[in-house]
């Protein structure tokens, strides 16, 4: 797994041995996970992926801006006849040759096709490391669905509202994400600690309380991983958690189908507010709308919201290359505090609304992640 890549990518070249450690906290009630992921052995670089994202982001953001400014959802568009090239693939060769077919037909941009092929190779390598006898079939099945929906979004791009509710029909994007990431998790060596706390959270949600999980963030697959590790014991939390999401996962064509299966509050990160200077004002207005949506949700009660208060994923130190948990942005924490205080559900948010830190413990032979977590 590489934390520099977005959700569909799990490639890396680190060869250092895996490590295991524990989190010490002054509170025994920290939601705690120990996670082991199967990592890709692929030596491919992120050059294609980076080029793909940056070449499409400006266009995608501009289109998203236009839709948001007009206040009109992208509906009423001419019906696009969807190609069945990938759905009909019965082997790896047919699937990959389908990329060339779609590029030649002008239905798929060459850079998107290159990114899709890179995803396939990284995903295939990672799943094969699991030792699952059915790995070949799993990879072909999951990647066939992924290719088909990436092409579908190129043909008819989906536009996210400030508050996006997971799409479960006619195609179940939630289960698509679950099934795609599931083979990458070594469940035999992964567990959720303090499980009783999640049962308590479910009871509080039933009583109308709001719950906010404030955590660090390592990979864009975090929302799906959380759901996978809770789906058997706490399916209500797994399926109803609302994630505060940055613009990358709602504009990158290779991330969008996974994002469509999650409940999202879409915001623009302050770190990238001025990446395209002429869009900065629009981004601020969009964030204001998203905050209003969050306020309305919290007033209704029984909501569980996850936010990475550092504003993005954890990064390695540029000099030591050691991974460390990014510091929380105090303004993000204060915004959540104010929203809770004005939700009207309970007057004393400290006693009646539960703000919890999420401690991640990652053990992987292909990635070095934080040796400690900063808990709020």
């Amino acid at each position: 797994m590489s934390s520099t890549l977005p959700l569909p990518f799990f490639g890396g070249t680190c060869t250092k041995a895996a490590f295991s450690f524990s989190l010490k906290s002054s509170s025994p009630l920290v939601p705690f996970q120990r996670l082991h992921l199967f990592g890709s052995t692929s030596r491919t670089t992120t050059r294609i992926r980076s080029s793909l994202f940056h070449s499409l982001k400006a266009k995608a953001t501009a289109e998203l801006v236009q839709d948001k400014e007009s206040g009109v959802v992208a509906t009423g568009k001419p019906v696009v006849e969807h190609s069945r090239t990938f759905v009909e693939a019965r082997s790896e060769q047919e699937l990959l040759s389908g990329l060339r077919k779609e590029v030649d037909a002008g239905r798929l941009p060459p850079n998107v096709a290159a990114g899709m092929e890179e995803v396939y190779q990284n995903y295939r390598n990672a799943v094969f490391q699991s030792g699952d006898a059915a790995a070949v079939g799993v990879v072909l099945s999951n990647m066939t669905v992924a290719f088909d929906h990436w092409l579908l979004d190129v043909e008819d791009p989906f536009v996210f509202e400030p508050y996006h509710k997971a799409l479960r029909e006619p195609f179940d994007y939630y289960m698509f994400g679950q099934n795609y990431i599931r083979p990458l998790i070594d469940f035999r060596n992964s567990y959720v600690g303090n499980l009783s706390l999640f049962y308590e959270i479910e009871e509080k949600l039933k009583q109308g309380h709001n719950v906010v999980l404030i955590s660090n963030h390592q990979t864009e697959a975090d929302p799906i991983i959380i759901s996978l590790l809770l789906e058997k014991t706490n399916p209500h939390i797994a399926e109803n958690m609302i994630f505060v999401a940055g613009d990358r996962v709602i504009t990158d064509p290779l991330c969008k189908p996974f994002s469509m299966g999650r409940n999202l509050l879409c915001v623009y990160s302050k770190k990238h507010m001025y990446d395209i200077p002429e869009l900065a004002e629009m981004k601020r207005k969009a964030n204001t709308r998203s905050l209003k949506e969050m306020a309305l949700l919290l007033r209704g009660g029984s909501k569980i919201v996850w936010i990475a208060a550092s504003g993005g994923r954890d990064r390695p130190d540029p000099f030591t290359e050691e991974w460390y948990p990014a510091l929380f942005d105090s303004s993000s924490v204060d915004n959540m505090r104010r929203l809770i205080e004005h939700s009207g559900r309970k007057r004393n948010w400290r006693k009646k609304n539960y703000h919890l830190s999420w401690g991640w413990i990652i053990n992987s032979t292909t990635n070095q992640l934080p040796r400690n977590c900063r808990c709020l």
Side-chain angles (χ1 to χ4, degrees), residues 62-337:
E63 292 174 349
L64 186 62
V65 170
Q66 184 176 2
D67 288 320
K68 285 186 175 182
E69 287 294 334
S70 64
V72 178
V73 182
T75 58
K77 293 182 179 179
V79 177
V80 179
E81 185 177 351
H82 180 51
S83 170
R84 295 185 58 81
T85 296
F86 300 121
V87 175
E88 296 173 350
R90 294 296 178 265
S91 68
E92 177 182 285
Q93 183 178 0
E94 290 183 10
L95 189 63
L96 296 179
S97 64
L99 290 173
R100 292 185 288 274
K101 176 182 176 180
E102 293 302 311
V103 170
D104 292 342
R107 289 188 289 262
L108 191 63
N111 56 349
V112 176
M116 290 167 64
E117 184 169 1
E118 185 185 12
V119 174
Y120 179 88
Q121 298 299 339
N122 284 346
Y123 186 76
R124 177 181 181 275
N125 291 340
V127 175
F128 277 21
Q129 281 196 31
S130 69
D132 186 350
V136 173
V138 169
V139 170
L140 181 61
S141 175
N142 287 344
M143 291 309 302
T144 294
V145 178
F147 273 31
D148 185 56
H149 282 82
W150 287 329
L151 176 62
L152 179 61
D153 194 71
V154 170
E155 294 170 340
D156 187 18
F158 181 81
V159 177
F160 289 82
E161 289 290 289
Y163 171 53
H164 169 77
K165 192 167 179 59
L167 299 180
R168 304 299 303 266
E169 56 183 23
F171 178 78
D172 194 335
Y173 283 92
Y174 173 83
M175 287 308 303
F176 161 63
Q178 298 290 96
N179 293 334
Y180 185 93
I181 299 299
R182 195 187 311 276
L184 301 174
I185 299 179
D186 182 0
F187 287 96
R188 292 171 299 181
N189 295 305
S190 303
Y191 63 84
V192 179
N194 295 315
L195 193 56
S196 61
L197 189 57
F198 291 99
Y199 293 116
E200 181 184 349
I201 288 175
E202 286 193 332
E203 288 302 312
K204 296 301 179 184
L205 292 173
K206 291 178 182 177
Q207 296 169 16
H209 297 279
N210 293 312
V211 178
V212 175
L213 302 180
I214 300 178
S215 98
N216 285 90
H217 176 32
Q218 271 102 35
T219 163
E220 287 174 14
D222 283 357
I224 299 178
I225 292 172
I226 292 172
S227 296
L228 281 168
L229 292 178
L230 294 175
E231 67 177 354
K232 290 185 177 180
T233 58
N234 306 90
H236 178 79
I237 293 178
E239 297 186 31
N240 290 281
M241 191 177 296
I242 301 169
F243 299 89
V244 178
D247 62 303
R248 177 167 189 157
V249 298
I250 62 172
T251 56
D252 187 321
L254 301 187
C255 288
K256 289 173 67 178
F258 298 93
S259 301
M260 289 160 69
R262 305 293 130 177
N263 303 307
L264 303 178
L265 280 162
C266 306
V267 300
Y268 292 92
S269 170
K270 291 193 299 183
K271 293 181 179 179
H272 304 289
M273 188 66 67
Y274 294 94
D275 286 357
I276 306 176
E278 58 271 26
L279 299 181
E281 182 61 25
M282 179 284 306
K283 291 180 179 180
R284 282 194 289 268
K285 290 180 179 178
N287 282 354
T288 299
R289 287 195 294 272
S290 294
L291 286 174
K292 290 180 179 178
E293 288 286 346
M294 186 184 296
L296 289 174
L297 289 169
L298 293 174
R299 286 173 192 166
S302 300
K303 298 298 186 296
I304 178 167
V305 179
W306 179 94
I307 180 173
S310 61
R313 286 168 286 151
D314 295 339
R315 307 287 183 177
D317 184 279
F319 300 105
T320 66
E321 297 186 354
E322 286 288 323
W323 290 86
Y324 63 95
L327 297 176
F328 289 170
D329 179 359
S330 59
S331 64
S332 295
V333 177
D334 286 341
N335 279 337
M336 291 306 304
R337 188 196 309 274

